[in-house]
Every structure is written in structure tokens, then in C-alpha cells.
């Protein structure tokens, strides 16, 4: 053994979560002896489970502060001594590299199993002081030494020597190398004299002189300037507390000096800690020379335990030594051992992207041990055995049974957030979101407006599209239930408008007005009767099919619009024969020239202006724009993708990386607009109306409801209005479900009924004004969500920034649509933006909206051999052939929807979306509920819910019966 500790009595049957390494045959023997002492593993599991539940308390919801742990080791330089910081933990371990000039990369702590057993013995045999009243380090040291003397662990003659050692100066890792990287330029650096705490003024102390020991105490009472300016504070949460580990070798001890201290109140102990964080825990281990490596491993073991969520909770709530030992035993029970011959212990394990929370670990641990499903190596053998969360859309879709009951609840839910809906929009991230969504909206408005003008003979065109987008979008973002949704026109509406206009016997605008009024009435009826309740039956199957279709439409349209003809007639060898001349008209006085010799000097525009004619085989030459357009198109897309990922890059400080990521789209657009201007080719530019008037001169801004059609049209228009209502309802509510996904962590609630109410009202208003109809745009809404996502700013070193939610507010949407409305006056600026650049933004929106869709990930599995497939959770629980079959059904449904969308049959597109729900219901006959739980969502059924509730009650009773009833029962089993 590495220390003179007795082998600990074993209470743990298996090792767990922190990676361990066997380092000698002695430790193997120690482990074997440890398992011989385990009397009955099932009883032991019950005792550990009961002990933890008793310590932590089932009803205690008080959060445990985050612990910053620092380990200092005692350094000797002749007769001089000082404590030097050697490692630190917030979540993962960082070591001071050899040479002392920099920290290592954060990595998962790898401990030896022997060090954990020795730590357990340290807690058993050393001094444990819980809730010590301490306000200064000298006083705390005195209390520790007094306890050791009182317990007979050290002699009174060692009192002053131990105190002298524990009160030496602490030298922290503040120094940076002289050759600073560019990433550190501009940061405030400490002066050379204060970069590292100087120890050159330390003298040789006479340890036998207590007065000198006290008078030369190096620990300051208040944090130093270096501590207050330490940039590392940004990585530590505001309410964090410190845990200090002191490890050292001295020549006056013949056995280890061990103490574990928990202060009653966290106290700032001056220069003890690298950062000005109040100290709550103190672990001291001093021992005789020759065993420094063993002491260091024990220090790393206790430091790793202190940043473990479950053990830190135990440490805060422990009432005695036995509670701490129970926490160590639980830690040991979860440890996973890596065989020494199958991995390299010198490799530092990278921090994982996601780690389980303490609550999840505790629930899995209790469930597996009580129900007998646990295996060696932790609950469930470390596998992902948790079933997916059941399909629930929250209280927003509960059927009230009252007239306008759901609408009234939506209004009550939204009223408390009115002020924050505007105040939270004042953030620099909102600027990037507004610019991004604005460019997407105006591109969509121009594209849709042009197609609508062609389909309706300019009764509706680009001007109406701009005005309608601005009006409907502003009202919806101001008063709607979910202001993160962006309204836009859709392809099926365009097909409907085209078919409606082709009925020449009836006045188009008046008929369209009555269809809009009937559709508005039908939407209000759906709102009043809580019909949005049907959305509960829209599972991931329908969501993914619909959102994938819209995403593919965006991608397809962006690529199709990039077709530019190549001038195949041009022959370089015949360049000498190409010419174009300006020929004067018959009446030459129209030209401001005196002779024909000056005519070739006129430009093409001047020749046409003065009435001349162009003659020659080069007059109709069009430069090839395919290459430059592709560069602008794909360059905008690829640069946006690259800059969006720059947030996780290794270059530049965190704030700059995040700023570049937030403004990635704006920077990409500006870059390629500049490139287009530099090249100077006549690429197609954004065309915005410059005058505020209807596209068709013979129509006004208001449509009259009577006078142009027979009376029966006013009633019969309710039939086509039903199709429009189904389209509006399904498109709006499916988009709302996607936006309100639980993965987005929205906190202000949904407003399905309120959203549909305003969409219906806006249909009537737009019909009276002769403007297009608007509904939720899935892809642009997803892009809006992504541009407003928030992440934690103070993440631990090595820890991935945590997704906190979305910046829920109304300001960005309102600004987007107000800018869309005033774009008419911005035409001189917008005319410089090439259309290929905006099509690149369209492509990015379509591709980005596919991210995170399980359907898309399952499609890619068709192309992957089994050994190269990602470790998706559904692949662990569902056979691959069943996964492929489920995906094939979705692909067929998507192909049918795409075919309908591309033909005249698009008029029945809304009905086919409803058909997806029918197909999903039929899949209950093809797949088991277990498979559907992993691949999709289980359809809500009252009978199944009752059965599930009954089963839960039985399981709860069985769990209660399996638990020991009291501490006396646990002691009896011992």
C-alpha cells in the first residue's frame, strides 16, 4: 500500500462515473479484500439508497451552490515554505502545466481506485468539523489543531508547527508567458510585479518561535487586487462557494494529519483562494516525507468529489462523519473502471458535450436499485434506459368546454408578460435577428409578389405583397399569442389565387373578398369552440413531414432561381466579325450629332434615347452571369454557415466569437454585396417598388363587397373558403407547434387560440384591402427562433455553454415588419443587393431548418454501414429494419405532398396534411407502442392514460414496500 492506512471496510459493491485506473497489484489485492467484506449486495443497495434519501431529503428543493475547488501543495525551498496552486476544478480538472506558466486544457479527472479507498479511510480516521464557526484562517487553523490534539491524533508539542505550516503564503497561478497570443491582446494585463505573488521576501523562519510564526503570517484578510481582477471569475457562477484542498509533506509528522471542515457560513479567507470566492469547505492532508504522490492523488480524489453534483449535495447536508462516508460509497457505486491494459492513462479525456444532472442520476439510481434493475457499474450499466418523455403539449391545448374558453386563457396567460415582451428586446442580439429576418421577409415578399402578379394579372403584385406583409406581420407580432412566429404567404395560397382568378365569369376581387370573410368567420368559430385541441394529435411524424416539406421547398426554390443561361452562341474565333452600330432614324434631327461618323460613339442607352436603332450580330449579346452568380449564391451560404459555427471556434475571445456568430448573415451579405460591386457585372438586383400605389392602375386600395357578382356568390363562396380555412388552420398550428417545442425552452407560454384569432381577423382586413393572405411561415419562424437563442455566459472550463432558452419578445418581429413597410423608401440602398446573395440566404434558411429533425437523420442512415452509424438513442431500442420502415413511410408521405404541391391538385393540399394524421393513426397497427415511443410520440388516449396512472400507483406502492421503514431497520440489518 502507498500509505500506512488500514484497508477500509467495504460498503460498495461496484465502481462508477469517474474513470479509474488500477496502478499496482497491491490495489488489486486491496479491491479483492474489499469485496470479500460485502455481506449482501441487495441489502447494501437498499441501505445506500435509504441513507442517501435520508441525507438529501426528498422534499428539500433548496439548490446547492456551485463549488470552485482549488488544490494547493506545500513547496519547500530550503527552510522556506509556501503553498502553491497545482490544480483547480469548477466542473472539470485543470492542472498547472510543468513550468508553471499556463493551465492545462480542462479534462475529466482520472483517479486511482486506491486513492478513493484511502480518502474514505482519511474521513473515517481524521478530524471532521461540520458547521464550524470560522471568520479568519488563523482561527479556523486553531480550531482544527485543537480538535486534533483533543482527539489524541497529534501531540500538543506539534500544535505550533502545524499552525505555522498551514498559515504560509499561497502562490496562485496568475502569471502569463511574455509571448502573449493575439487572443490576449487588448485585455487588461497585470503588471509584472503583480502577475505572480512574489515570494522573494520570505525569510527562514524559526519554527520553534511561536511569536515569529504568528507575526510573519503571510495570509491577508482581504482579497488582493490580483484576485479581484482575475478573469477566471467569469467562469464561476455568482453564488458559487469555494472548497480548498491543502496537501503537503513535512518532516515533523510520523503519521498523516487529516481534517475535513465545513464552515457554518461561507467566509472569504483573503489570499487562500485564487478568486475572491467565499470558502465553505477545507480539506487538509499533511504527512511524512516520501509519500507525496499518494497524498496528491488523495487530494485530487476529494477535489473531484467536491465538484460532483451528488456528493457536494451530501457534503452540504451531512450531519456527521457517517453521512460523508455514505456519499463516498455512493460515488464508488457509480464509478466505471477502465482496464489498465486497454487505455492510455496519460491521455486526458475531453469533457463530454452533455453530462447527466444530479437529479437524473439520483432518480435512476433509486429506481434501478429498488426495482432490482441495476447492474454493476451504476444504474442500468451506464446505458440510456430512460424512456422518452410522453407527448404532451401543455395546458394551452386543454379542452375547456366553454365559449372562447381557450382564447380567454391565452389572454390571461399573456397579460403578465406585456412589459417584458418589449424590454427583453433591447439587446445587441436583436439587431442581428432583425437584419436577418428582414432580408428573408423582403426576398420572400418580392418573389411571392412577382408570382402573384403573373397569376392574377397584377391585381395583386409586389406592392400589395410588401404592404400586406408589413400590416399583417406588425399586428400579429404586437397582439398575437406567440410573437416569435413570422407571418408570410405560402405556395398553396398562390395556387388557390391562380385557380380563383381563372374563373373569368365572376369578378375576382369581390369573390376573393367574400371567401376571405367566410374564412375569417370559420376561423373565429374554431377559436370559440377550442378546436385547436386537435393539435394534440399532431405528433412528431406530422411535424417532421410538414417542416421537411417546407424546408425542401425553400432549398428547391433557391436553387431553381439560380439558373442563368450561358451564351453558347458566342465563338471566340469569330470575335472580329461581331459588331453593333447605332443607325440614325429617317428623321436625323432627333440625333444631337452632325454626322454619321459620331454615331458609333453613342452608348446603347443613348442610342435608344435619341431614337436610333441598333444593328449588328453583337447587339443582343448578354454577358455570362452564371459563374459570378454562383459565387455570390454559394459564397453567401457557405460563409454564413462557417461564421455561424465560429462561436465554437478556438480563435479570439468568447465575446468576439459570439458577436461574429450572431452577425454572421449580415457580414456574409455585406461581403458579397461588396464583391459584386467590385466585379461590376450586371447581376440581377433586388427590385423594390418606389411609389406607393396599387400595382394595377384601375383598382383602388379598398374592395367593395357588392355590385359586381350575383347574390348567390356571397353564399356559395363559403365552400372554397372551407379549403382556405383548413389550410390556414393546419399551416398556422403546425408551425406554432414546431416553434413551441419543449426543446426551445419557451417560458412565456403559447397562444394557439389567440394566434388563430388574429390570423382570421387579418384575413378579413387583407381581403378588404385587396392584399394577399398571410399565415405562419415555418422556415422563417424557425430561423427567427435560432437567431434569438441564449446560452450561458459563465460556463465552467471545458463545459459546453448551456442552452438557456430563447429571447422571447415582440420587438424584433415588429421592427422586421415596420422595416418591410418602409422598404419603399429604402429602394436606393436595397437596389445594390444582388438577388443571388438573397437566394443564398434562402438556401441557408432551408438547410438550417433541417437541423435537429430526426427524420433527416434517419434518412442519412440508409447510406451508412451499421458500424459507422451514430449512437442515436432510438437505435439502441428499436431494430434497424423497423427504423428504416418507419422512415420509408415518411418518405412516401413526403413524396405525395411534394407531387400535390407541384400540380394543379395543390388545391387539396390542406386535406392531405390532415391525411398525415390519419396515416400516423394507422401506423399503430404496424409498429408497437414501444417502437413508436422512441421513433415518434404516443397518441394521447384516455384509456391508456388511466392504465398508466394505475400502473404508476402500483409501482409507487411496490417501491414503498421495498424500502426500509426507518433507520432502526437499517441498523438491524447491519
Amino acid at each position: 500500500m502507498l500509505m500506512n492506512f488500514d484497508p477500509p471496510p467495504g460498503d460498495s459493491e461496484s465502481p462508477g462515473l469517474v474513470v479509474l485506473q488500477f496502478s499496482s497489484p497491491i490495489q488489486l489485492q486491496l479491491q479483492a479484500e474489499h469485496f470479500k467484506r460485502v455481506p449482501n449486495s441487495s441489502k447494501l443497495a437498499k441501505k445506500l439508497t435509504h441513507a442517501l434519501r435520508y441525507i438529501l431529503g426528498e422534499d428539500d428543493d433548496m439548490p446547492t451552490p456551485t463549488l470552485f475547488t482549488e488544490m494547493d501543495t506545500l513547496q519547500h525551498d530550503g527552510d522556506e515554505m509556501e503553498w502553491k496552486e497545482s490544480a483547480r476544478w469548477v466542473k472539470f480538472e485543470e492542472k498547472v502545466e510543468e513550468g508553471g506558466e499556463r493551465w492545462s486544457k480542462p479534462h475529466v479527472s482520472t483517479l486511482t481506485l486506491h486513492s478513493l479507498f484511502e480518502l474514505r479511510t482519511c474521513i473515517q480516521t481524521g478530524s471532521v468539523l461540520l458547521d464550524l464557526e470560522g471568520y479568519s484562517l488563523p482561527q479556523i487553523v486553531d480550531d482544527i489543531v485543537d480538535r486534533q490534539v483533543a482527539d489524541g491524533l497529534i501531540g500538543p508539542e506539534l500544535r505550533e508547527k502545524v499552525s505555522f505550516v498551514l498559515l504560509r503564503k499561497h502562490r496562485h497561478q496568475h502569471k502569463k508567458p511574455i509571448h502573449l497570443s493575439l487572443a490576449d491582446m487588448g485585455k487588461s494585463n497585470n503588471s509584472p510585479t503583480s502577475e505572480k505573488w512574489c515570494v522573494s521576501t520570505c525569510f527562514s523562519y524559526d519554527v520553534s518561535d511561536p511569536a515569529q510564526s504568528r507575526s510573519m503570517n503571510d495570509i491577508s484578510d482581504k482579497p488582493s487586487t490580483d484576485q479581484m481582477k482575475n478573469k477566471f471569475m467569469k467562469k464561476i457562477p455568482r453564488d458559487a462557494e469555494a472548497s480548498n484542498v491543502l496537501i503537503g509533506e513535512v518532516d515533523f509528522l510520523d503519521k498523516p494529519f487529516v481534517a475535513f471542515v465545513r464552515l457554518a457560513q461561507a467566509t472569504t479567507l483573503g489570499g487562500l483562494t485564487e478568486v475572491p470566492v467565499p470558502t465553505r469547505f477545507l480539506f487538509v492532508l499533511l504527512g511524512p516525507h516520501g509519500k507525496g504522490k499518494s497524498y496528491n492523488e488523495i487530494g485530487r480524489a476529494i477535489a473531484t468529489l467536491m465538484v460532483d453534483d451528488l456528493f457536494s449535495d451530501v457534503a452540504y447536508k451531512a450531519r456527521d462523519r457517517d453521512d460523508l462516508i455514505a456519499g463516498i460509497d455512493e460515488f464508488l457505486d457509480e464509478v466505471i473502471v477502465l482496464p489498465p491494459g486497454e487505455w492510455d492513462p496519460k491521455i486526458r479525456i475531453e469533457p463530454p458535450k452533455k453530462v447527466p444532472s444530479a437529479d437524473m442520476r439520483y432518480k435512476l439510481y433509486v429506481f434501478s436499485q429498488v426495482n432490482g434493475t441495476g447492474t454493476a457499474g451504476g444504474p442500468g450499466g451506464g446505458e440510456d434506459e430512460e424512456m422518452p418523455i410522453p407527448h404532451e403539449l401543455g395546458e394551452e391545448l386543454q379542452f375547456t368546454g366553454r365559449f372562447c374558453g381557450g382564447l380567454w386563457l391565452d389572454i390571461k396567460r399573456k397579460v403578465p408578460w406585456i412589459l417584458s415582451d418589449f424590454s427583453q428586446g433591447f439587446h445587441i442580439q436583436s439587431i442581428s435577428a432583425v437584419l436577418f429576418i428582414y432580408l428573408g421577409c423582403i426576398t420572400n415578399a418580392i418573389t411571392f409578389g412577382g408570382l402573384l402578379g403573373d397569376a392574377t394579372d397584377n391585381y395583386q403584385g409586389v406592392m400589395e405583397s410588401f404592404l400586406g406583409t408589413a400590416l399583417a406581420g406588425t399586428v400579429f407580432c404586437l397582439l398575437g399569442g406567440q410573437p416569435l412566429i413570422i407571418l408570410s404567404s405560402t405556395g398553396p395560397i398562390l395556387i388557390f389565387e391562380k385557380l380563383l382568378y381563372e374563373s373569368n365569369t365572376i369578378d375576382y376581387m369581390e369573390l376573393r373578398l367574400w371567401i376571405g370573410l367566410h374564412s375569417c368567420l370559420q376561423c373565429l368559430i374554431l377559436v370559440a369552440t377550442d378546436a385547436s385541441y386537435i393539435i394534440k394529435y399532431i405528433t412528431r411524424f406530422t411535424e417532421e413531414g410538414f417542416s421537411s416539406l417546407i424546408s425542401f421547398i425553400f432549398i428547391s426554390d433557391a436553387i431553381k432561381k439560380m439558373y442563368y443561361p450561358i451564351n453558347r452562341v458566342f465563338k471566340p474565333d469569330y470575335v472580329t466579325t461581331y459588331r453593333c452600330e447605332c443607325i440614325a432614324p429617317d428623321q436625323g434631327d432627333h440625333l444631337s450629332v452632325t454626322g454619321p461618323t459620331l454615331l458609333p460613339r453613342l452608348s446603347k442607352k443613348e442610342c435608344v434615347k435619341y431614337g436610333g436603332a441598333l444593328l449588328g450580330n453583337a447587339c443582343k449579346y448578354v454577358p455570362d452571369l452564371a459563374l459570378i452568380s454562383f459565387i455570390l449564391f454559394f459564397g453567401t451560404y457557405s460563409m454564413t454557415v462557417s461564421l455561424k459555427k465560429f462561436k465554437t471556434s478556438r480563435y479570439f475571445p468568447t465575446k468576439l466569437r459570439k458577436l461574429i456568430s450572431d452577425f454572421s448573415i449580415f457580414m456574409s451579405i455585406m461581403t458579397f454585396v461588396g464583391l459584386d460591386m467590385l466585379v461590376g457585372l450586371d447581376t440581377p438586383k433586388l427590385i423594390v417598388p418606389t411609389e406607393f400605389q396599387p400595382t394595377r392602375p384601375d383598382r383602388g386600395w379598398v374592395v367593395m363587397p357588392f355590385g359586381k357578382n350575383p347574390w348567390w356568390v356571397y353564399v356559395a363562396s363559403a365552400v372554397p373558403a372551407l379549403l382556405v380555412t383548413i389550410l390556414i388552420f393546419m399551416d398556422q398550428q403546425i408551425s406554432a407547434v414546431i416553434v413551441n417545442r419543449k426543446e426551445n425552452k419557451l417560458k412565456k407560454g403559447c397562444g394557439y387560440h389567440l394566434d388563430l384569432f388574429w390570423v382570421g381577423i387579418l384575413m378579413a382586413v387583407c381581403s378588404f384591402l385587396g392584399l394577399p393572405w398571410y399565415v405562419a411561415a415555418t422556415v422563417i419562424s424557425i430561423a427567427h427562433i435560432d437567431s434569438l437563442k441564449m446560452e450561458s455566459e459563465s460556463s465552467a472550463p471545458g463545459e459546453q455553454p448551456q442552452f438557456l432558452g430563447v429571447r422571447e419578445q415582440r420587438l424584433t418581429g415588429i421592427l422586421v415588419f415596420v422595416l418591410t413597410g418602409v422598404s419603399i423608401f429604402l429602394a436606393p440602398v436595397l437596389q445594390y443587393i444582388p438577388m443571388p446573395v438573397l437566394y443564398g440566404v434562402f438556401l441557408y434558411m432551408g438547410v438550417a431548418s433541417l437541423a435537429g429533425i430526426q427524420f433527416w437523420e434517419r434518412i442519412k442512415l440508409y447510406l451508412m454501414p451499421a458500424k459507422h452509424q451514430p449512437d442515436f438513442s432510438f437505435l439502441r431500442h428499436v431494430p434497424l429494419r423497423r427504423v428504416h420502415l418507419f422512415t420509408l413511410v415518411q418518405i412516401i408521405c413526403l413524396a405525395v405532398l411534394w407531387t400535390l404541391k407541384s400540380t394543379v391538385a395543390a388545391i387539396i393540399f390542406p386535406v392531405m396534411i390532415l391525411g398525415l394524421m390519419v396515416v400516423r393513426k394507422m401506423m399503430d397497427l404496424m409498429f408497437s407502442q414501444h417502437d413508436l415511443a422512441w421513433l415518434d410520440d404516443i397518441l394521447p388516449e384516455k384509456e391508456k392514460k388511466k392504465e398508466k396512472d394505475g400502473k404508476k400507483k402500483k409501482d409507487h406502492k411496490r417501491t414503498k414496500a421495498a424500502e426500509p421503514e426507518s433507520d432502526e431497520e437499517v441498523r438491524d440489518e447491519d
Side-chain angles (χ1 to χ4, degrees):
M1 296 179 60
L2 299 180
M3 292 184 63
N4 296 325
F5 294 142
D6 294 330
D11 284 347
S12 164
E13 59 171 322
S14 62
L17 272 177
V18 168
V19 180
L20 298 182
Q21 169 198 358
F22 289 114
S23 59
S24 71
I26 297 177
Q27 295 173 21
L28 291 171
Q29 180 181 0
L30 176 65
Q31 176 68 351
E33 293 177 0
H34 167 73
F35 281 112
K36 288 179 184 177
R37 297 169 183 258
V38 179
N40 186 304
S41 61
S42 61
K43 285 187 177 180
L44 179 62
K46 292 180 182 179
K47 287 192 290 182
L48 284 179
T49 303
H50 182 73
L52 282 181
R53 297 179 69 178
Y54 184 66
I55 295 168
L56 301 179
E58 295 183 14
D59 299 328
D60 190 359
D61 295 329
M62 290 294 292
T64 301
T66 301
L67 278 178
F68 165 73
T69 301
E70 176 182 323
M71 187 172 83
D72 294 355
T73 55
L74 188 63
Q75 304 292 314
H76 297 265
D77 185 9
D79 293 332
E80 298 177 0
M81 288 182 291
E82 64 171 348
W83 293 99
K84 181 181 178 183
E85 185 177 13
S86 58
R88 67 186 180 190
W89 290 255
V90 178
K91 198 171 190 68
F92 301 100
E93 181 177 4
E94 294 177 274
K95 292 181 179 179
V96 177
E97 301 283 25
E98 188 174 354
E101 289 189 347
R102 71 168 203 157
W103 287 102
S104 70
K105 287 186 64 177
H107 56 277
V108 177
S109 297
T110 54
L111 309 174
T112 61
L113 189 60
H114 187 58
S115 65
L116 285 170
F117 288 138
E118 290 183 324
L119 172 62
R120 191 180 190 280
T121 302
C122 287
I123 300 297
Q124 282 182 322
T125 59
S127 298
V128 175
L129 291 80
L130 301 179
D131 296 329
L132 176 69
E133 296 290 342
Y135 303 100
S136 67
L137 187 61
Q139 179 232 319
I140 294 171
V141 169
D142 286 341
D143 291 340
I144 294 174
V145 176
D146 289 344
R147 174 64 66 87
Q148 288 270 330
V149 173
D151 292 343
L153 299 177
I154 63 171
E157 70 279 2
L158 298 177
R159 180 193 303 269
E160 293 300 331
K161 293 183 179 180
V162 173
S163 297
F164 173 81
V165 171
L166 294 180
L167 293 175
R168 292 307 90 215
K169 175 179 286 185
H170 289 252
R171 180 154 55 99
H172 302 294
Q173 184 64 20
H174 288 274
K175 186 177 180 180
K176 294 184 176 67
I178 297 176
H179 48 282
L180 291 176
S181 64
L182 289 175
D184 293 322
M185 294 299 184
K187 293 183 178 180
S188 59
N189 296 315
N190 297 327
S191 63
T193 57
S194 63
E195 282 178 343
K196 183 185 287 187
W197 287 16
C198 180
V199 296
S200 60
T201 56
C202 299
F203 300 93
S204 298
Y205 303 119
D206 183 4
V207 180
S208 62
D209 186 357
Q212 186 185 24
S213 175
R214 288 296 179 184
S215 63
M216 297 301 296
N217 176 26
D218 291 321
I219 295 294
S220 60
D221 294 331
K222 297 180 180 180
S224 68
T225 306
D226 291 318
Q227 288 175 288
M228 302 302 295
K229 293 182 178 180
N230 196 334
K231 303 291 184 182
F232 192 70
M233 278 299 296
K234 296 179 181 179
K235 299 290 185 180
I236 303 175
R238 291 173 181 249
D239 60 344
E241 297 177 351
S243 170
N244 292 93
V245 178
L246 305 180
I247 305 296
E249 297 175 272
V250 291
D251 55 7
F252 54 82
L253 290 176
D254 56 2
K255 63 178 182 178
F257 174 99
V258 181
F260 179 89
V261 179
R262 183 182 70 199
L263 300 179
Q265 296 293 331
T267 306
T268 302
L269 300 179
L272 181 64
T273 310
E274 173 190 357
V275 287
V277 175
T279 295
R280 171 74 73 166
F281 296 96
L282 194 66
F283 179 84
V284 179
L285 172 57
L286 298 177
H289 281 288
K291 299 175 182 177
K293 184 177 180 181
S294 177
Y295 302 155
N296 190 70
E297 290 302 311
I298 294 173
R300 291 181 61 248
I302 185 63
T304 302
L305 261 73
M306 294 307 296
V307 295
D308 179 73
D309 291 336
L310 211 52
F311 183 83
S312 65
D313 205 10
V314 171
Y316 269 96
K317 299 173 182 178
R319 289 151 300 186
D320 51 34
R321 186 193 311 266
D322 293 337
D323 289 349
L324 293 174
I325 294 173
I328 296 176
D329 289 338
E330 185 278 334
F331 185 86
L332 279 167
D333 194 69
E334 286 194 84
V335 170
I336 297 172
V337 176
L338 293 182
E342 299 182 12
W343 77 299
D344 185 0
K346 296 179 182 178
I347 295 176
R348 289 173 177 167
I349 301 176
E350 292 283 339
K353 292 185 178 180
K354 186 177 181 181
V355 294
S357 65
D359 292 338
M360 184 182 300
R361 283 171 52 198
Y362 179 66
K363 290 176 182 177
L364 289 175
Y365 179 79
V366 172
F367 176 81
S368 62
Q369 298 294 356
V370 172
N371 292 277
T373 59
T375 60
E383 294 294 331
D384 178 15
E385 296 294 339
E386 187 181 8
M387 288 292 289
I389 300 174
H391 177 56
E392 284 293 337
L393 293 176
E395 62 177 6
E396 295 88 352
L397 291 176
Q398 295 296 328
F399 184 74
T400 63
R402 301 190 304 272
F403 180 76
C404 293
L407 177 63
W408 174 243
L409 291 177
D410 282 350
I411 296 174
K412 289 177 61 178
R413 193 179 298 112
K414 287 298 175 180
V415 166
W417 302 102
I418 290 178
L419 294 179
S420 66
D421 280 346
F422 292 92
S423 62
Q424 291 183 5
F426 291 94
H427 191 273
I428 191 170
Q429 188 181 21
S430 300
I431 300 176
S432 64
V434 168
L435 293 174
F436 174 30
I437 304 303
Y438 165 66
L439 290 171
C441 282
I442 63 170
T443 306
N444 194 49
I446 290 173
T447 303
F448 183 83
L451 295 174
L452 195 58
D454 294 338
T456 63
D457 196 18
N458 286 329
Y459 275 103
Q460 297 178 82
V462 176
M463 173 58 72
E464 286 78 12
S465 183
F466 265 78
L467 183 60
T469 300
L471 173 64
T474 303
V475 172
F476 186 85
C477 288
L478 187 63
L479 302 173
Q482 182 49 271
L484 297 176
I485 292 175
I486 299 296
L487 295 190
S488 179
S489 297
T490 63
I493 287 181
L494 174 63
I495 302 259
F496 183 86
E497 298 269 20
K498 183 177 181 180
L499 294 176
L500 200 63
Y501 178 76
E502 290 176 352
S503 57
N504 297 322
T505 58
I506 300 176
D507 184 76
Y508 165 67
M509 296 301 290
E510 187 178 291
L511 172 63
R512 185 179 177 278
L513 168 61
W514 279 98
I515 291 176
L517 293 176
H518 280 293
S519 186
C520 170
L521 179 61
Q522 292 166 4
C523 285
L524 295 182
I525 293 174
L526 292 176
V527 171
T529 56
D530 289 350
S532 295
Y533 173 77
I534 194 177
I535 302 302
K536 293 177 73 73
Y537 295 92
I538 295 180
T539 64
R540 191 192 305 161
F541 176 87
T542 308
E543 286 179 38
E544 291 182 343
F546 180 78
S547 59
S548 297
L549 175 67
I550 304 301
S551 299
F552 288 142
I553 289 174
F554 261 67
I555 296 172
S556 173
D557 288 350
I559 294 175
K560 283 194 300 185
K561 288 180 175 63
M562 279 304 300
Y563 173 73
Y564 292 97
I566 298 175
N567 191 2
R568 301 178 183 274
V569 181
F570 177 75
K571 304 294 183 183
D573 190 44
Y574 296 97
V575 66
T576 55
T577 65
Y578 295 131
R579 65 177 188 171
C580 181
E581 296 178 349
C582 181
I583 304 300
D586 294 337
Q587 302 297 327
D589 56 340
H590 290 89
L591 292 174
S592 60
V593 292
T594 58
T597 56
L598 297 179
L599 292 180
R601 297 183 181 179
L602 296 178
S603 67
K604 176 182 175 181
K605 290 183 180 179
E606 289 174 335
C607 182
V608 174
K609 177 181 179 182
Y610 295 123
L614 298 172
L615 179 65
N617 55 1
C619 291
K620 295 183 179 180
Y621 174 78
V622 178
D624 293 329
L625 300 175
L627 178 59
I628 185 62
S629 297
F630 178 79
I631 292 174
L632 298 176
F633 168 71
F634 192 73
T636 303
Y637 167 76
S638 56
M639 184 175 178
T640 301
V641 172
S642 301
L643 293 183
K644 206 70 179 176
K645 296 179 180 178
F646 198 76
K647 184 164 48 179
T648 57
S649 168
R650 299 174 185 267
Y651 304 103
F652 303 114
T654 304
K655 286 187 176 180
L656 181 57
R657 292 201 308 267
K658 190 174 186 304
L659 194 65
I660 292 174
S661 177
D662 289 341
F663 285 86
S664 58
I665 296 171
F666 178 73
M667 294 172 64
S668 301
I669 291 174
M670 291 296 101
T671 299
F672 286 95
V673 167
L675 177 63
D676 177 74
M677 296 176 67
L678 184 65
V679 173
L681 291 179
D682 190 20
T683 54
K685 300 297 193 296
L686 185 64
I687 300 175
V688 181
T690 56
E691 297 181 1
F692 185 74
Q693 62 181 15
T695 305
R696 189 179 175 101
D698 60 348
R699 61 150 288 194
W701 279 119
V702 178
V703 179
M704 303 308 296
F706 303 104
K708 295 184 178 181
N709 288 327
W711 65 268
W712 55 266
V713 173
Y714 310 144
V715 179
S717 55
V719 177
L722 183 60
L723 284 175
V724 177
T725 302
I726 295 175
L727 172 63
I728 294 294
F729 179 82
M730 297 303 298
D731 206 342
Q732 173 67 38
Q733 302 298 44
I734 292 179
S735 300
V737 168
I738 294 172
V739 168
N740 295 320
R741 281 174 179 165
K742 57 181 178 295
E743 297 89 51
N744 291 330
K745 296 184 178 180
L746 302 182
K747 300 177 181 177
K748 296 184 179 180
C750 313
Y752 294 97
H753 310 280
L754 186 58
D755 287 344
L756 188 60
F757 172 81
W758 283 112
V759 168
I761 295 296
L762 288 170
M763 280 200 68
V765 174
C766 290
S767 298
F768 269 111
L769 297 177
L771 306 177
W773 295 321
Y774 293 91
V775 72
T778 307
V779 171
I780 301 182
S781 298
I782 294 174
H784 192 205
I785 289 280
D786 290 338
S787 64
L788 292 171
K789 285 185 175 179
M790 300 182 295
E791 292 181 339
S792 57
E793 296 182 358
S794 60
S795 56
E799 183 183 20
Q800 296 290 331
Q802 299 297 311
F803 172 58
L804 302 179
V806 179
R807 203 173 299 281
E808 299 178 64
Q809 36 72 47
R810 300 178 184 270
L811 206 55
T812 55
I814 293 174
L815 288 177
V816 163
F817 292 112
V818 169
L819 283 175
T820 303
V822 301
S823 293
I824 300 171
F825 309 103
L826 300 177
V829 177
L830 297 177
Q831 67 181 354
Y832 290 105
I833 301 179
M835 290 304 294
V837 169
L838 297 181
Y839 295 148
V841 175
F842 260 46
L843 179 64
Y844 171 77
M845 285 184 178
V847 173
S849 62
L850 289 175
I853 295 181
Q854 189 196 88
F855 173 47
W856 179 239
E857 299 297 334
R858 283 189 273 107
I859 289 177
K860 292 189 288 186
L861 291 179
Y862 279 110
L863 306 177
M864 298 180 190
K867 63 180 180 180
H868 294 305
Q869 292 174 353
D871 186 23
F872 294 128
S873 58
F874 58 83
L875 288 179
R876 296 183 179 185
H877 303 278
V878 183
L880 184 59
R881 55 185 176 79
R882 306 293 292 173
V883 174
H884 285 336
L885 177 60
F886 187 87
T887 307
L888 180 61
V889 174
Q890 281 189 290
I891 292 175
I892 294 173
C893 291
L894 181 62
V896 172
L897 289 176
W898 183 274
T899 304
L900 286 175
K901 187 269 312 178
S902 306
T903 62
V904 181
I907 193 71
I908 63 170
F909 180 80
V911 180
M912 293 309 298
I913 297 179
L914 282 174
L916 286 178
M917 300 172 64
V918 178
V919 173
R920 169 60 186 86
K921 180 64 178 176
M922 294 174 62
M923 291 179 71
D924 282 347
L925 305 176
M926 300 172 57
F927 296 88
S928 67
Q929 295 300 302
H930 172 270
D931 291 352
L932 290 173
W934 286 102
L935 297 174
D936 189 38
D937 298 313
I938 303 297
L939 292 174
E941 295 183 18
K942 295 181 179 180
E943 293 78 9
K944 290 183 178 179
K945 188 176 187 300
K946 290 179 181 178
E947 291 179 7
K948 190 174 181 181
D949 292 342
K951 188 176 180 181
K952 281 184 179 179
K953 291 180 181 179
K954 290 180 181 179
D955 290 341
H956 183 67
K957 291 179 180 179
R958 194 183 304 117
T959 301
K960 287 290 185 181
E963 294 178 359
E965 295 181 358
S966 63
D967 291 342
E968 287 75 10
E969 184 176 339
V970 175
R971 285 193 288 269
D972 291 343
E973 291 179 356
D974 290 338

